Each structure stands twice: as structure tokens, then as C-alpha cells.
Amino acid sequence: MKRLFNNISNDVYRSIISNNPDAIFLLDENGKVLDSNSATANIYGYSAEEMLNLYYPNIIIPSTDYSLKTLMDKSWNGETCAYQASAYHKNGSVLYLQVKNVPMLEEGKTVGVMVVAKDETELTQTRLTLQETSEKFISIFNSSADAIDIIDINGNVMLVNPAFEVMYGWNKKELIGKKLPTIPKSRLDAVKERREKAILGEYTRGLEVDCIKKDGTSIDMSITISPLLNGEEKVVGFLDISRDITERKKMESDLRDSKNRYKSLLNVSPEAICVHSQGVIRYINEAGTKLFGYYHPSELLNRHILDFTHINSQETVRESIRMSKIDKYFPKKTIVQTMLRADSSTILVEATILGIEYEDEPAIQVIYRDITERKRLLDSLIRSEEKYRLIAENMTDLVSLIDENGILKYISPSFQPVLGFPIEELQGTKAREQVHSEDFAQIIPRFKSLLNRTESVAAEFRVKHKTKGWLWVEAKATYCIDEEHGKPFLLVVSRDIEERKKLQEKLKSMAFHDGLTGLPNRRLFGQKMQQVIKEANRKNQKFALLYMDIDKFKRVNDNLGHSIGDELLKLFGERVSACLRDSDMLARQGGDEFTALLLDIESGEKAKICAKEILESLQREWIIDGHSFKTTSSIGIALYPSDGTDMDTLMVNADKALYTAKENGRNRFVLYKEV
């Protein structure tokens, strides 16, 4: 720093400049570096000796906001100039600087320009990262197919995305600053409770509820509620994401087509389940085998169900067989039957029968529940109040007595371990307060029907759990008269069926998804494609169908084994899915064949871009269980409506294009119009 500080007599000033964290260096008239402090080397990456050989303009990135030469000329004319600049580090990276040019005067004449550069790289990169993150959030917010709303801490709407406006019917001008109108009045308290939990940091994910649209109709939604935090980690609002699950709810009735997976799931069910066709037992699970007193299902298979039915109940069984012949999907009904065990003893069962298709034949599915002991106990319960209290208090089922005003006059001790509520907290309250609002309307007429008959009525509905939300129960209500006071009451015996409901959900998923890859199967893909064709026809849109398979997949199975082949199919699905948009759909047709729907495609070129990206992703090597190898894929493309206006035509034409791609050497894609 000799030349820079020769004329400075104060050692303190010299020390401040030498140890300044900002880069300070002296330039001659041509911009050559004459001297620099130690911070210059730290910031720019050059040593002090290397700096002496540099020209300042060579390391500054040109800017459209100013001319560096003009600034240097101004400084030589005695003017101090401040500006922001970008410069190159020695390693090639970019520095963001706050720079000041200060003319160095000697006897009124400029002898050099001192440049002071403050490194703001980290601050600038942080600002750019925040800006990029904000832009990504806005992009996701506006393009999300899910409805998103942002609510302040008082429950007032701050912002909604376009999907929210489309899904619910309100525009944001109608909502900003107001309470969310999509929440039914019956759920306001529950929503308040959820938000209070969110303030404590608790997230709510996948909560299935009904919401209200602007036209007053109801829509099934899956809701996720997240707290919004400010810089001080304080909750200032809530982010709600709503997904329409109406279609999913409608598809729940299609669970009976799960076939082999249906068997494996039912076999582990604690419920006794039997399937018979024309009376011949085709399937029975382990619980059913045990119920009838046998050791293995093979002892019952191919025998007639009447062999295990008491003569008093045989007519009801024959009637159900006749119903199956008339309508193989006859609706579920529950009856009480007397059945025979292996040792010729009898058991009283509650049989829920349902018409299904099994192995492509009309069949009857029967769920048996042994109510022998329960019937005996409940008979005693009706005869004596003291007896039924003793019995109820030792049952795992939920036993309750409801008076003519709907008040819970008695609840069994089992309510506390099953539903989490202390007895004293529920007894004396209205029964309807414990039942989900969606289910209550359909329960009332069924229970009221007991006034005109003496038999029992069964129903499935949701009841409130103290901490877990809502649980599904199966209940049987019986109309009784208090012999002492002559007043009517309902005896309701309920059982937790949450596991059964979860089992039904699994069955539903298996009916529409491939068991190996988890992708939609041929059936779900067909339904989706029919919907897409209708939508495209209505909106005059185009879409593309991609039909693809794995080239020489058989070699993988033959040389490496089927387990490697199965893993390849799963990883293939993951790679292809990564190349598609969220709005697109990939499905496994069977074997190594996959199909994809590219929605709202403007032209064949767009489809070709996607197909090219898929092929490029498959060039990377697979590493599975220590084996390294490469595979390719051939893809056939059909466009709607130019290559077909119905599903069958599009599938056939895409398959023809796939065949052409294979004939031309594989590892390529072909449009149908190029065939």
C-alpha cells in the first residue's frame, strides 16, 4: 500500500484503510490497478501481486444502466461516483458490489481514482432467492388445480386462487375481508376448534368434509389446514387447501371387482365372510371357518350352504339364492339366521347378504356375526333393568338407552375406552350431538319406523370421538317399553367398524390401481379417457394418447429374473410420471405396456416434445439389486380428434404407431399420421 498511503501521516487512518473489510484499490487513468488493500484479495480472489496486473474494466460486467468509462471519466474530472456493479471473481463466479469511485487529488490535480467496493453478493443472492421463491409460490398458487384460500387470524378471507373461484363459484371480490361462506353452519364450531389447534402449530391433513358452493349445492372435499407464520414465528393466519373428492366418493360402490386381492384382504378380516354361488360355497375366510367349528376352509369349500343352515332358516337362504338369479347385484340386507356348527350345535347369527359377481358368476357374499350370546344377554336385558345394567357394563359393544325426547338416559362403561368420553360427560345429553350431521338425517326415519313394528333396525353412521374426530359404528336399535312406567325408549347396541371401513377403502383402491406400480389400472384409465373425450368435445380441445412399452423387456425377465423385472416396471412408471404434468395421467395397461393422457395439447409437436423428454429420461442407467443395465422405450402417439373421436379408435391407432416405432428400430416415437 506504499503509493496509496505515502502522503498520509496519521497511522490510525492508514490502519483503518488497510484493515477495512471493503475492497479498496487505486487506479491510474487507464483503469490499471496500482495498489490494493488485503480485503481486495479476499473479495476478488486475486493476490496483491495479481491485482497489480489487472485492469479494472476487465473484471467489471458491463451494465445497461450506466457506462463504466463515463463514470471513470467523471472521477478523473474530480467527481465522486457511486453505483452498483457486478464483477467476476477469479474463479469465474459473479460478485454483486456497491461501488464508490473517489478521485485522489494532489495539489488540485487528479493523480488516481480510489475505488471502494462493498461485497453485497450474499445479500443480493438472498434477495434473488426470496424473489424466486415468491414467484414460485405465486405460480403454484395461481396454477394449482386445488382450491386454496388464505384466512387471517379472525377468520376473514385474505386471498383465494383461481381454482377456488371455479370450484366454489364465488369470485375473490365477493370474498375478500369476509367470513368463508363455504363452511356449513353445523361445522362452524369444528372449524373454530381446528383453527385453534393450528394456532398451536397442529396441521390438519386430508380432513374429509362437505362444503357449500355459491349455488347452494354441497360438494365433498378433502381439506388441509396449515398455520401461516410471520418472521417472529407467530401464527397470523391459515392456509386452506381443498380438493374435490366428489367423484372419488361416487366410485366407492365399485369395490366388489377386486377378485384375487379381494380374497387375501378378506381372509385377514376379523369378520366371518363367506361367498356362495347357487348355494355352493366358493370362498370362506379363516374367521368363517372358525365360526362354523372347522379347522381349515377346505372342509367347507364346494359344499352347499344349506348343509350348515338350521331347518328353521333354510327358506331365507333359498330366497337369497333366488334373488341372486334374478339380480346378481341385489342390494345389501341383514337377516337373523340359525346356523349349524361342525359338532351339530346351533349358533344364532346376524347375516348381512349382498349380491356380487365372483369368478364371473352371480354370487352372494355373506358376513356372519355370532349374536348367540348377545341375543341371550339382550333378552335378559329387556326383562330386567338390573340384569341389563350388569350385562351392558361388561360388554365391549356400546350400549345406550335413549328416551322419547332423544336424551341419553344410560350409556355403558365401554363408551369411555371406545370413544374417549367419561360416562358422566355424555349421560343426560342429546344423542344427536354425538352423531355426525351428515348421517343424522338418514338415521331419524329409520329409527322412527320402529314405532310401527317390533323388530330391530340396523344402521351405519359416524359418532364423535373425544380426540380422534369421527368413528364409524354399526348400530342396532330396538323399540322397547319401560314396563314400570309405561314409557317408550330405544335400546341401541353399537360396534366399532372403523377397521371394516378402512378395509373397504383398500378394496376400492385395488379395484382402480395396479397392485405392482400403484398407477391407475386399465379400468380407471378407461373411465378417465371417456371423461376427457366428453370434456374435450364440449370445450373444443385437443389431447394426446401415448401408448408405450419397454423395449426387449422379456430379456430382463429371462436374464435377471422376474423380481428385477417387477422393480424395473415400478421405476419405469416413476421416471415417466416425472416427465408429465400434474394434469396428465399415466396408467399401466398390463405387462410392460403403459398409456398416458396429455390433456389440452395444442398440437402434435407438443406431444412429441413430451415423448422426447420421456425417451431421454430412459437413457439413464438402471441400478437394481446390484445389476446395472439400460433399457429404452417405443412410443406411439394418437391425437384427438384428428386420429379418432372415441376411445377404441384412439387406442388402436396409438398401438399401430407404437408397432411402427418398433419396426423402425425402437427407442423412438411415432405419430399415427406418420404411420
Side-chain angles (χ1 to χ4, degrees):
M1 302 292 288
K2 292 181 180 179
R3 179 168 182 177
L4 180 62
F5 299 119
N6 273 346
N7 296 323
I8 299 176
S9 59
N10 192 319
D11 290 339
V12 175
Y13 289 165
R14 184 179 296 109
S15 175
I16 290 172
I17 294 175
S18 298
N19 296 290
N20 198 296
D22 296 336
I24 301 176
F25 47 90
L26 183 66
L27 305 178
D28 66 11
E29 186 173 5
N30 297 316
K32 181 179 179 182
V33 178
L34 301 176
D35 208 347
S36 63
N37 68 348
S38 59
T40 304
N42 295 333
I43 293 174
Y44 288 92
Y46 296 98
S47 65
E49 292 74 16
E50 289 173 324
M51 285 297 295
L52 294 178
N53 296 320
L54 292 178
Y55 282 89
Y56 179 59
N58 290 346
I59 62 174
I60 295 298
I61 300 174
S63 172
T64 57
D65 296 333
Y66 58 81
S67 166
L68 183 62
K69 183 178 184 308
T70 301
L71 294 174
M72 295 299 296
D73 290 344
K74 287 183 178 180
S75 297
W76 273 100
N77 291 327
E79 183 179 340
T80 297
C81 300
Y83 53 96
Q84 291 181 329
S86 299
Y88 291 112
H89 189 276
K90 182 181 178 181
N91 62 14
S93 62
V94 176
L95 301 171
Y96 297 94
L97 308 169
Q98 182 65 42
V99 184
K100 180 177 288 187
N101 291 352
V102 181
M104 303 295 292
L105 303 177
E106 187 174 307
E107 296 181 358
K109 181 180 179 182
T110 302
V111 296
V113 173
M114 181 172 70
V115 177
V116 181
K118 180 179 181 63
D119 185 6
E120 293 187 343
T121 302
E122 183 175 351
L123 177 63
T124 301
Q125 289 176 339
T126 299
R127 187 182 298 115
L128 292 173
T129 300
L130 288 173
Q131 181 179 348
E132 181 180 352
T133 301
S134 176
E135 291 172 351
K136 286 181 178 178
F137 171 78
I138 293 172
S139 175
I140 293 171
F141 183 82
N142 288 328
S143 62
S144 172
D146 293 334
I148 304 175
D149 60 84
I150 298 177
I151 308 297
D152 66 20
I153 200 70
N154 297 315
N156 297 316
V157 177
M158 299 171 63
L159 192 62
V160 297
N161 71 341
F164 186 100
E165 297 177 292
V166 173
M167 197 172 294
Y168 288 105
W170 282 281
N171 63 59
K172 60 184 178 182
K173 291 182 179 179
E174 297 175 290
L175 298 173
I176 302 300
K178 300 177 182 177
K179 301 295 182 184
L180 204 60
T182 61
I183 305 171
K185 292 181 179 179
S186 60
R187 281 202 301 106
L188 290 176
D189 290 341
V191 170
K192 181 180 178 182
E193 182 180 342
R194 291 280 177 183
R195 289 175 179 169
E196 288 173 351
K197 290 181 178 180
I199 292 175
L200 299 176
E202 181 176 327
Y203 288 74
T204 297
R205 294 180 176 89
L207 178 65
E208 295 187 4
V209 296
D210 64 314
C211 293
I212 300 172
K213 299 173 68 172
K214 185 177 181 180
D215 62 9
T217 58
S218 180
I219 182 172
D220 292 316
M221 306 296 289
S222 175
I223 306 290
T224 296
I225 303 174
S226 307
L228 290 178
L229 307 178
N230 61 11
E232 300 174 353
E233 297 298 312
K234 181 181 178 182
V235 177
V236 295
F238 311 97
L239 175 71
D240 301 334
I241 302 176
S242 307
R243 176 166 294 176
D244 185 354
I245 58 173
T246 304
E247 189 62 29
R248 195 190 80 193
K249 288 286 187 181
K250 291 180 181 178
M251 293 164 64
E252 290 178 354
S253 61
D254 297 328
L255 300 179
R256 59 176 69 94
D257 298 324
S258 49
K259 294 187 178 177
N260 292 333
R261 295 186 187 89
Y262 161 90
K263 292 182 184 178
S264 61
L265 281 171
L266 294 187
N267 206 40
V268 298
S269 170
E271 302 278 4
I273 302 174
C274 173
V275 176
H276 59 83
S277 179
Q278 310 240 347
V280 178
I281 298 175
R282 305 293 302 281
Y283 169 82
I284 188 166
N285 67 353
E286 293 180 2
T289 304
K290 184 177 179 182
L291 177 70
F292 288 104
Y294 291 86
Y295 295 97
H296 195 273
S298 61
E299 297 176 86
L300 295 97
L301 293 178
N302 298 319
R303 295 180 62 181
H304 204 283
I305 190 65
L306 291 177
D307 293 346
F308 309 96
T309 308
H310 190 275
I311 189 170
N312 294 340
S313 298
Q314 287 191 1
E315 183 53 36
T316 61
V317 174
R318 290 191 180 95
E319 176 60 23
S320 64
I321 295 173
R322 286 194 291 268
M323 289 172 58
S324 176
K325 292 178 180 178
I326 297 171
D327 179 10
K328 67 180 178 181
Y329 294 125
F330 68 82
K332 179 177 70 175
K333 91 174 172 178
T334 301
I335 57 178
V336 175
Q337 296 175 334
T338 303
M339 308 301 290
L340 301 174
R341 289 171 52 84
D343 59 3
S344 298
S345 62
T346 61
I347 51 172
L348 190 65
V349 298
E350 188 180 75
T352 301
I353 63 174
L354 176 70
I356 65 169
E357 185 176 283
Y358 185 88
E359 301 292 345
D360 299 323
E361 293 181 357
I364 298 172
Q365 174 189 279
V366 188
I367 300 176
Y368 294 108
R369 182 171 297 113
D370 185 357
I371 61 170
T372 307
E373 185 65 11
R374 189 176 82 185
K375 176 65 174 173
R376 185 183 67 80
L377 293 176
L378 291 181
D379 286 344
S380 299
L381 183 78
I382 300 301
R383 289 193 297 268
S384 169
E385 181 177 349
E386 291 299 322
K387 288 181 181 178
Y388 74 59
R389 282 189 179 275
L390 177 62
I391 294 168
E393 289 170 5
N394 289 277
M395 290 179 67
T396 56
D397 287 350
L398 306 174
V399 181
S400 59
L401 299 181
I402 304 173
D403 70 10
E404 55 191 332
N405 297 313
I407 303 298
L408 287 166
K409 302 301 290 185
Y410 169 80
I411 58 172
S412 62
S414 53
F415 269 73
Q416 183 157 351
V418 175
L419 298 180
F421 290 101
I423 297 174
E424 58 273 11
E425 191 172 328
L426 293 181
Q427 199 154 299
T429 63
K430 285 187 176 294
R432 68 180 302 162
E433 294 175 356
Q434 308 307 315
V435 180
H436 197 288
S437 59
E438 292 179 3
D439 304 330
F440 193 76
Q442 59 98 4
I443 294 174
I444 287 296
R446 301 191 66 183
F447 282 9
K448 281 186 175 180
S449 69
L450 290 173
L451 298 174
N452 302 317
R453 54 183 175 174
T454 56
E455 61 189 64
S456 300
V457 169
E460 294 180 2
F461 53 88
R462 286 162 288 183
V463 296
K464 188 185 299 181
H465 188 283
K466 189 172 181 67
T467 59
K468 298 179 182 178
W470 298 96
L471 296 181
W472 278 98
V473 297
E474 179 183 65
K476 175 174 282 189
T478 305
Y479 181 78
C480 305
I481 297 292
D482 184 341
E483 294 179 357
E484 182 178 351
H485 303 96
K487 292 186 177 181
F489 66 90
L490 285 183
L491 169 64
V492 182
V493 180
S494 309
R495 172 174 293 185
D496 180 0
I497 59 168
E498 192 70 19
E499 287 301 318
R500 186 201 301 173
K501 286 293 184 180
K502 290 179 180 178
L503 177 65
Q504 291 173 345
E505 287 296 323
K506 289 181 182 178
L507 288 174
K508 172 200 162 186
S509 177
M510 289 183 175
F512 293 98
H513 290 81
D514 176 51
L516 176 64
T517 63
L519 293 171
N521 61 14
R522 181 197 302 267
R523 180 180 181 187
L524 181 57
F525 185 82
Q527 292 184 2
K528 176 67 174 178
M529 191 167 176
Q530 295 286 16
Q531 294 172 0
V532 170
I533 289 174
K534 290 180 181 178
E535 189 72 7
N537 184 48
R538 186 171 63 84
K539 295 183 178 180
N540 196 26
Q541 293 176 335
K542 300 177 182 178
F543 69 86
L545 168 64
L546 272 58
Y547 206 132
M548 66 195 83
D549 67 5
I550 302 175
D551 293 332
K552 301 180 180 179
F553 177 71
K554 186 175 182 300
R555 289 188 182 178
V556 177
N557 277 338
D558 292 345
N559 297 331
L560 301 179
H562 286 277
S563 62
I564 301 296
D566 287 348
E567 187 64 23
L568 173 59
L569 290 172
K570 290 190 283 186
L571 295 175
F572 179 88
E574 292 175 4
R575 279 200 194 173
V576 175
S577 294
C579 300
L580 304 181
R581 303 165 298 177
D582 290 342
S583 59
D584 300 332
M585 182 183 192
L586 176 67
R588 184 185 177 198
Q589 292 292 311
D592 64 326
E593 294 184 347
F594 295 78
T595 52
L597 285 177
L598 309 182
L599 305 186
D600 198 14
I601 291 293
E602 298 173 358
S603 65
E605 292 303 316
K606 295 287 186 179
K608 290 168 74 173
I609 291 172
C610 179
K612 181 179 179 182
E613 184 179 348
I614 291 172
L615 294 181
E616 289 175 350
S617 75
L618 298 175
Q619 305 307 308
R620 300 197 309 272
E621 191 174 45
W622 305 101
I623 301 177
I624 304 175
D625 288 348
H627 297 282
S628 301
F629 58 93
K630 287 186 176 181
T631 63
T632 58
S633 177
S634 300
I635 304 175
I637 305 173
L639 303 176
Y640 176 91
S642 59
D643 297 335
T645 57
D646 61 83
M647 184 175 73
D648 291 341
T649 303
L650 288 169
M651 291 289 285
V652 168
N653 291 341
D655 189 36
K656 288 179 180 177
L658 168 62
Y659 183 77
T660 302
K662 289 189 149 324
E663 280 191 326
N664 292 338
R666 299 185 175 88
N667 192 25
R668 65 189 66 242
F669 56 84
V670 172
L671 268 68
Y672 174 68
K673 66 180 180 181
E674 300 171 349
V675 173

